[in-house]
Amino acid sequence: MADLATLDRANVFVLRHFIDTGRAPHYADLARAFSIAPEEGRTLLRELVDSGIPAWQHPGTDYIVSYPPFHSLPTQYRVTVDGEQKWFAQCGLEALAMRWLFPGGTVRIDAPCLDCGERLAVEMRDEQTLLVDPPAMVGYSRSVVGGAPETRAWR
Amino acid sequence: MNLFRSEEHARRWSEYDADFERNLQPVAVWAERFSGEMFRRRLDPDYITWYTAWRAAQSR
């Protein structure tokens, strides 16, 4: 079992990989960065995902599907930072937390409304909300926010 | 956990569940809720350590 300090380092590695590339690292990437064997990297990644953060791997695999606030598969929540679109948010609400991973950057969220398909856009920079279009936009969750992983409706 | 053009659009969504009406909130409310330490600290070098302790405190 990895100690918390190692999980801390692995967390930063995974998030930095998402920030830099727009997608999740493979456990072999983690192993290389930590100078450990691939199998140890696989174990470390599993332990990190099982640490309680709302992240998950594709069932039966060691591929990260989601690592908050990022999603490695395309979702309807496209995230653009300073004009570059290469990220997807885990869900519409986590999209609103994307700005904390890009301090000083202008973070834009583009998505369709799941009722009518019309476009939605939000822009944020650090503490500021720069745009909510349309202004009446709402967020909705049909599960307990912060509840147990199996109750999360975005899965 | 999705965004909609308005409350009316959210209520018309095929998966809308009135039992979770309290989770229908303006974007500004969710933006504030997703501004807590749990979200801001994610890149901190001790985040998992902090998060583990935070969760333990929440469950007490």
Side-chain angles (χ1 to χ4, degrees):
Chain A
M1 183 72 185
D3 58 25
L4 284 173
T6 302
L7 293 175
D8 282 333
R9 291 174 52 225
N11 173 64
V12 172
F13 176 82
V14 170
L15 286 174
R16 285 283 176 209
H17 196 283
F18 265 106
I19 291 167
D20 293 343
T21 70
R23 55 189 166 73
H26 187 266
Y27 67 78
D29 299 320
L30 181 65
R32 190 178 309 111
F34 279 57
S35 300
I36 56 179
E39 194 59 32
E40 293 176 86
R42 173 155 62 177
T43 301
L44 177 56
L45 191 59
R46 285 178 178 171
E47 290 179 3
L48 179 62
V49 169
D50 289 341
S51 67
I53 57 174
W56 62 90
Q57 294 175 303
H58 188 79
T61 78
D62 290 288
Y63 301 128
I64 291 176
V65 174
S66 203
Y67 200 93
F70 298 105
H71 210 72
S72 211
L73 294 173
T75 67
Q76 69 269 39
Y77 298 104
R78 292 179 180 273
V79 177
T80 301
V81 180
D82 293 335
E84 182 179 20
Q85 196 283 305
K86 62 179 179 184
W87 302 271
F88 294 93
Q90 187 183 70
C91 69
L93 305 185
E94 280 285 4
L96 304 174
M98 194 67 75
R99 57 193 153 137
W100 308 122
L101 278 298
F102 298 94
T106 299
V107 176
R108 181 181 171 98
I109 304 150
D110 287 289
C113 172
L114 294 185
D115 170 54
C116 67
E118 292 295 313
R119 59 177 289 279
L120 310 168
V122 178
E123 284 189 12
M124 310 177 102
R125 185 190 308 122
D126 300 326
E127 307 288 345
Q128 296 177 282
T129 298
L130 307 172
L131 172 74
V132 176
D133 182 25
M137 190 189 311
V138 297
Y140 171 69
S141 172
R142 60 182 174 86
S143 63
V144 177
V145 178
E150 60 273 18
T151 71
R152 291 175 193 146
W154 64 76
R155 283 177 169 236
Chain B
M1 299 185 169
N2 290 302
L3 302 176
F4 297 87
R5 289 182 69 80
S6 70
E7 289 188 11
E8 291 69 30
H9 285 260
R11 290 195 179 97
R12 281 202 304 258
W13 183 39
S14 60
E15 297 184 36
Y16 180 76
D17 183 342
D19 287 346
F20 291 93
E21 175 77 15
R22 66 186 179 283
N23 286 345
L24 178 56
Q25 299 287 344
V27 164
V29 171
W30 288 115
E32 178 64 26
R33 187 159 174 184
F34 279 72
S35 295
E37 278 196 285
M38 175 180 163
F39 307 100
R40 290 172 184 258
R41 291 181 52 114
R42 279 176 168 155
L43 263 181
D44 284 4
D46 63 345
Y47 181 74
I48 300 297
T49 299
W50 175 86
Y51 183 76
T52 301
W54 179 80
R55 284 188 77 211
Q58 296 289 312
S59 64
R60 281 187 210 122

